[in-house]
């Protein structure tokens, strides 16, 4: 093959590739897909590196998926001038991240810990798997991985079809819903319009999900599936005392360095809330947690503005309700818990 033929072949190949990419991108956008970031260890590590920002300028949030849905980060930052650093992990206990921050002598900022009882008060290895993997990645990541993250971020922000959770080959194979059988087990798949991820790691339900009771019932069924396969009873006795003690030790380390720590119980509703109240009575878990750690806490049930929400799938707030929740959250912190934010301090001058 001469140079002219080779050049023509390369140009033709390039044109075909570009045409295919553009066609697929237009196709998925026409189907209603929009930008959603891969909430993987690299995105978590990017936010973890921000935890050293000044205490006066930022707040770190840890927990599980509820705080990721319920905190409207744009509203938080607009109304406080305070950077929200989201380190919560879906379906996970916040305790590994709490321990990581407590051992980091350079962290002395504001920390808000979301408490979802079934995850917070758990000794299951599965509930610490993701945060432990994220922490390891953060500690071990290489310059090449850091550079790759920024390249991926640029591409993900421009190309919808790079959505790993909904449009990758593995995601499409999962959509086949192959029945479970011996040695083959597949966790239920969340519907496509539940849990879009922003670059700041906030998650949200789409308007389509909020209008589709079929998708909402699908997620409710997933929660019920997890309830049925979870054979671990609520932790009690010496194991609970040990958990309380470990949290107290971690919290005290952060406080000793000048940090602030506050716990929040975010909203749930329906059968989910009923089951949580039965399995984890407030006096034995939430109240005891605040007493032992000597920390402030905000329980959604104590505030009329936020205690009435109906979560579309029993466990997370819609975007409109998240906005109301966030504004009330800020008010409580400022007026009742004595927290000061940059915007508040600037207006007072």
């Amino acid at each position: 093959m001469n140079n002219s033929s080779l050049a023509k072949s390369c140009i033709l190949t390039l044109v075909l590739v570009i045409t295919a990419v553009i066609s697929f991108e237009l196709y998925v956008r026409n189907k209603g897909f929009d930008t959603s970031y891969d909430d993987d260890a690299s995105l978590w590590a990017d936010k973890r590196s921000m935890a050293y920002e000044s205490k006066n300028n930022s707040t770190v949030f840890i927990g599980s998926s509820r705080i990721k849905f319920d905190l409207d980060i744009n509203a938080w930052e607009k109304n406080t001038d305070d950077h929200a650093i989201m380190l919560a992990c879906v379906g996970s206990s916040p305790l590994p991240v709490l321990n990581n921050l407590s051992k980091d002598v350079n962290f002395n900022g504001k920390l808000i810990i979301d408490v979802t009882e079934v995850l917070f008060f758990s000794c299951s290895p599965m509930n610490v798997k993701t945060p432990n993997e994220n922490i390891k990645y953060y500690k071990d990541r290489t310059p090449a991985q850091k550079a790759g993250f920024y390249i991926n971020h640029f591409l993900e922000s421009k190309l919808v079809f790079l959505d790993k959770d909904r449009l990758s080959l593995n995601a499409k194979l999962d959509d086949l819903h192959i029945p479970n059988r011996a040695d083959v087990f597949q966790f239920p798949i969340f519907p496509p319009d539940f849990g879009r991820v922003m670059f700041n790691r906030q998650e949200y339900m789409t308007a389509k999900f909020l209008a589709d009771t079929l998708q909402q019932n699908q997620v409710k069924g997933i929660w019920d599936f997890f309830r049925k396969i979870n054979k671990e009873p609520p932790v009690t006795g010496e194991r609970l005392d040990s958990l309380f003690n470990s949290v107290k030790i971690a919290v005290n380390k952060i406080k000793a360095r000048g940090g602030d720590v506050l716990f929040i119980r975010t909203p749930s509703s329906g059968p989910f809330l009923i089951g949580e109240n039965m399995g984890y009575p407030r006096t034995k878990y939430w109240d005891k947690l605040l007493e032992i750690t000597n920390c402030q806490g905000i329980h959604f049930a104590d505030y009329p503005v936020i205690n009435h929400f109906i979560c579309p799938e029993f466990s997370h707030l819609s975007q409109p309700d998240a906005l109301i929740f966030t504004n009330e959250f800020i008010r409580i912190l400022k007026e009742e818990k004595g927290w000061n934010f940059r915007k508040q301090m600037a207006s007072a001058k």
Side-chain angles (χ1 to χ4, degrees):
M1 180 180 293
N2 58 40
N3 290 338
S4 177
S5 297
L6 179 61
K8 290 179 180 179
S9 297
C10 290
I11 293 172
L12 178 60
T13 301
L14 181 61
V15 170
L16 290 174
V17 169
I18 292 175
T19 302
V21 168
I22 293 175
S23 298
F24 188 47
E25 178 70 9
L26 293 175
Y27 171 77
V28 296
R29 285 179 181 270
N30 187 56
K31 287 292 185 180
F33 290 96
D34 54 8
T35 302
S36 183
Y37 291 90
D38 183 10
D39 192 21
D40 62 1
S42 63
L43 184 59
W44 187 91
D46 177 66
K47 309 314 172 193
R48 174 63 179 84
S49 65
M50 300 175 181
Y52 306 112
E53 293 179 5
S54 167
K55 173 182 175 178
N56 296 326
N57 298 335
S58 64
T59 300
V60 175
F61 294 84
I62 66 175
S64 48
S65 59
R66 283 183 186 165
I67 193 66
K68 292 181 89 241
F69 278 83
D70 296 359
L71 183 77
D72 187 305
I73 290 180
N74 288 336
W76 171 277
E77 295 182 344
K78 178 182 178 181
N79 294 328
T80 63
D81 279 345
D82 185 90
H83 182 204
I85 301 169
M86 182 57 67
L87 297 182
C89 299
V90 171
S92 302
S93 165
L95 299 189
V97 182
L98 172 62
N99 290 330
N100 174 255
L101 293 171
S102 73
K103 294 175 182 177
D104 188 337
V105 296
N106 295 314
F107 175 73
N108 58 2
K110 301 194 296 286
L111 176 65
I112 293 179
I113 307 173
D114 177 37
V115 177
T116 298
E117 292 91 347
V118 69
L119 295 170
F120 188 98
F121 299 105
S122 170
C123 297
S124 170
M126 288 303 299
N127 292 337
V128 298
K129 182 175 182 291
T130 297
N132 281 336
E133 290 175 348
N134 288 347
I135 292 167
K136 184 178 186 305
Y137 182 91
Y138 170 71
K139 291 179 178 178
D140 298 341
R141 62 181 178 158
T142 65
Q145 288 173 321
K146 292 180 182 179
F149 167 76
Y150 290 111
I151 294 172
N152 288 339
H153 169 223
F154 173 78
L155 293 174
E156 282 186 298
S157 68
K158 305 298 181 183
L159 300 172
V160 170
F161 77 81
L162 292 178
D163 187 337
K164 178 181 175 182
D165 291 330
R166 295 178 295 159
L167 296 171
S168 67
L169 178 59
N170 284 339
K172 292 304 179 184
L173 290 174
D174 287 340
D175 286 342
L176 295 177
H177 301 293
I178 299 172
N180 294 325
R181 57 190 185 277
D183 300 322
V184 176
F185 178 79
Q186 181 185 37
F187 275 103
I189 305 300
F190 285 91
D193 295 301
F194 177 74
R196 302 285 177 88
V197 182
M198 300 180 185
F199 186 63
N200 58 21
R201 298 192 69 248
Q202 179 182 334
E203 294 200 39
Y204 65 96
M205 307 170 194
T206 68
K208 185 176 179 181
F209 179 85
L210 297 177
D212 190 341
T213 55
L214 185 63
Q215 289 195 52
Q216 294 171 27
N217 289 335
Q218 184 179 342
V219 177
K220 292 175 183 177
I222 292 174
W223 301 149
D224 191 53
F225 170 81
F226 286 137
R227 178 187 64 81
K228 290 177 179 177
I229 67 171
N230 180 20
K231 304 301 181 183
E232 179 189 12
V235 61
T236 57
E238 293 183 358
R239 295 172 72 197
L240 179 58
D241 292 338
S242 176
L243 188 150
F244 278 135
N245 187 57
S246 67
V247 175
K248 178 181 179 180
I249 291 172
V251 165
N252 285 346
K253 288 180 180 179
I254 295 172
K255 286 182 176 180
R257 296 195 295 265
D260 296 323
V261 180
L262 179 141
F263 292 92
I264 183 164
R265 176 38 164 100
T266 39
S268 55
S269 64
F272 214 127
L273 178 59
I274 294 172
E276 289 169 325
N277 288 338
M278 291 176 60
Y280 301 90
R282 180 168 171 172
T283 55
K284 294 182 179 180
Y285 291 88
W286 171 260
D287 293 345
K288 195 76 175 289
L289 174 66
L290 301 186
E291 176 188 346
I292 290 177
T293 60
N294 193 30
C295 285
Q296 293 183 315
I298 298 174
H299 196 296
F300 82 97
D302 296 335
Y303 299 92
V305 175
I306 56 176
N307 69 4
H308 63 281
F309 292 127
I310 305 299
C311 302
E313 33 63 72
F314 300 145
S315 190
H316 304 84
L317 296 180
S318 66
Q319 278 192 289
D321 286 345
L323 179 59
I324 297 171
F325 172 82
T326 301
N327 288 333
E328 177 69 357
F329 188 11
I330 295 169
R331 185 201 68 78
I332 296 167
L333 287 171
K334 292 192 298 187
E335 297 180 10
E336 300 185 20
K337 304 303 178 182
W339 281 42
N340 294 312
F341 297 103
R342 261 197 311 180
K343 190 166 188 176
Q344 177 186 7
M345 292 186 289
S347 62
K349 291 180 181 180

